[in-house]
Amino acid sequence: VTFCDPAPDAEKRARVFIADTWDALRKLGIATSERAPENSLTFVHTPGEVAAAADLVHENATENLALKQSVYEEVEAKAPPTLVIASSTGGIPPTQLQAKMRHPERLVVCHPFNPPHLIPLVEVVGGPDTDPAVIDWVIAFYKALGKPAIRLNREVTGHVANRLQSALWREAVHLITTGVASAVRRRASRQFADEIPRGIRENYRAAMDFARIGCRSTRRRRPRCSAAGSSFTLELSLGQEADPNGRPARPAFREHR
């Protein structure tokens, strides 16, 4: 694995994090060796250096479209046309990510969930220019790593899981501000939140914090609150099974013209 990060002490912090989490990975059966293979991790200084050394580049920049596009520009300057680029964006549609790329057919969104080393699910969705072979390849790639991937049939802002979490958040606020339920005590909310994934937990805590404010305001005046939100059609299909004995072959996909 080759990685780069412009943050100060990024390499040191990454190696410390891997060492600290390795025991948990071993207990879960995800890691099999006694210690983390430190020699398998190489730090470089630019995205272009990563592209020159990899079959797949997984971009994890912050949710800023211009920043992500600048990373793709650096990657494409050093990468062969067949390099696959995956983005971990939790909300930006791939059409926007591909807009300035020389080879948009290589880009696909592969959205993991925090903490990604413990939660295996990955959402996969391509844009209109993404080659279908790229989507098939990344699904096989992540499944070979033990990460089940779900394929979204079309792009939508926020993908699927984040939209479902947002719907849960809206409903929690609505139930409390309309008097259907009472705000859960802080201790109880934390105890419950510790049992659910981080992404849902953050939304849940945000909802409870908002609800406590809303419930205090209802003693003076009940605020109007609507549970109405955007609706969308949800269609998922599972990708093909990966070869459990090795990494899937490089994709043979068409070049964008």
Side-chain angles (χ1 to χ4, degrees), residues 6-248:
D9 299 325
E11 179 178 8
K12 179 181 178 180
R13 290 188 292 108
R15 293 187 183 279
V16 169
F17 176 81
I18 292 172
D20 289 345
T21 58
W22 199 255
D23 186 55
L25 295 176
R26 288 186 65 233
K27 291 179 179 179
L28 292 171
I30 299 174
T32 56
S33 60
E34 180 96 10
R35 295 182 179 178
E38 295 184 5
N39 294 335
S40 296
L41 185 65
T42 302
F43 180 80
V44 295
H45 297 284
T46 66
E49 292 176 90
V50 174
D55 295 328
L56 167 71
V57 169
H58 204 302
E59 166 269 309
N60 300 289
T62 55
E63 293 292 274
N64 180 296
L65 178 59
L67 175 61
K68 289 179 180 290
Q69 289 177 335
S70 69
V71 171
Y72 304 151
E73 183 178 4
E74 289 189 59
V75 168
E76 289 199 297
K78 299 293 184 180
T82 54
L83 178 79
V84 175
I85 301 176
S87 175
S88 65
T89 177
I92 302 175
T95 296
Q96 297 180 27
L97 299 174
Q98 294 172 319
K100 297 183 178 181
M101 294 183 66
R102 288 184 289 177
H103 294 280
E105 72 279 357
R106 69 164 102 220
L107 183 133
V108 59
V109 169
C110 298
H111 174 230
F113 294 84
N114 284 319
H117 61 292
L118 298 178
I119 299 179
L121 182 64
V122 179
E123 291 178 311
V124 176
V125 60
D129 291 327
T130 304
D131 193 293
V134 172
I135 299 176
D136 291 338
W137 186 83
V138 296
I139 287 176
F141 176 83
Y142 285 110
K143 285 193 173 183
L145 296 177
K147 286 184 167 291
I150 57 172
R151 182 199 305 256
L152 278 63
N153 291 336
R154 64 180 180 88
E155 63 181 12
V156 61
T157 301
H159 314 319
V160 171
N162 282 345
R163 291 173 70 91
L164 293 175
Q165 291 178 25
S166 296
L168 177 63
W169 184 91
R170 290 195 305 269
E171 183 63 16
V173 172
H174 173 71
L175 290 173
I176 293 175
T177 57
T178 56
V180 175
S182 299
V184 180
R185 294 183 180 221
R186 193 172 192 85
R187 177 185 294 181
S189 65
R190 283 183 175 177
Q191 182 178 0
F192 170 74
D194 287 341
E195 302 299 324
I196 57 180
R198 178 179 170 184
I200 299 177
R201 181 166 70 242
E202 290 172 349
N203 278 343
Y204 176 82
R205 283 177 172 166
M208 295 312 302
D209 288 341
F210 184 87
R212 276 188 286 273
I213 296 172
C215 284
R216 284 197 294 270
S217 69
T218 59
R219 294 170 186 167
R220 304 182 186 90
R221 181 181 60 187
R222 183 180 298 277
R224 290 178 174 237
C225 182
S226 171
S230 59
S231 61
F232 60 100
T233 302
L234 173 64
E235 291 184 351
L236 301 178
S237 61
L238 293 178
Q240 297 177 353
E241 293 292 335
D243 180 1
N245 298 318
R247 188 173 61 183

